Amino acid sequence: MESINTTLFLMLNAHALPSPPVLALAIFLAQYLILAVPIALVAAWLRADEPQRRALVGAAVAGAVGLAMNQAIGWVWQHPRPFVMGIGHTYLSHASDSSFPSDHLTLIWSVAFALALEQRTRVVGVSAALLGLLVAWARIFLGVHFPMDMVGAAVVAAVSAWLVTRQMLWLVVPAYRVALCVHRKLFARLIERGWVKA
């Protein structure tokens, strides 16, 4: 399995001196596209109805649960990153912590899969999952992850999304109430003027 992982990595990893536009695109995707997740959740929240807001909160909780699962996996099993093993080319500074699974992709796909499991947010969830593929490619291309790190992230994200949306409503319900309370306090004036939904 490790040899397949390394072979796939070397196929996707950037060669020496990649073109500046491709390198710039990869760095943007690898580092900054993840910021679209909280921004999109907040923006969608402001315009969503109650069922959609519940789905958005569930997606946020799924992201947190997925990251917690990653931490547990990292404590049990450490896997070095490609640059620690001296494999391929690296074009992104990164700590030499465990590479498996990818935290970036776990967060994106946990949110995406949770949204995809709900009928009213399915299109958004599938779209977010497709964006996750770009992040996966970029982080392998830049040399900070192996392909199997992305496979692991997909599995963790799927489990997290299923657990939160199907088995952990006891966690989503109070999280929704807290989010709604914070929303009403932060946007009280805008709600009064009708610019933002209550």
Side-chain angles (χ1 to χ4, degrees), residues 125-137:
V126 171
S127 300
L130 293 175
L131 287 178
L133 291 174
L134 296 175
V135 175
W137 164 79

Side-chain angles (χ1 to χ4, degrees), residues 19-59:
S19 67
V22 174
L23 186 59
L25 175 63
I27 290 172
F28 171 77
L29 294 172
Q31 283 195 302
Y32 302 111
L33 192 59
I34 194 170
L35 299 176
V37 173
I39 292 170
L41 287 175
V42 171
W45 170 275
L46 294 176
R47 302 181 60 181
D49 57 22
E50 183 179 342
Q52 291 169 332
R53 283 181 173 176
R54 289 184 182 274
L56 292 169
V57 169

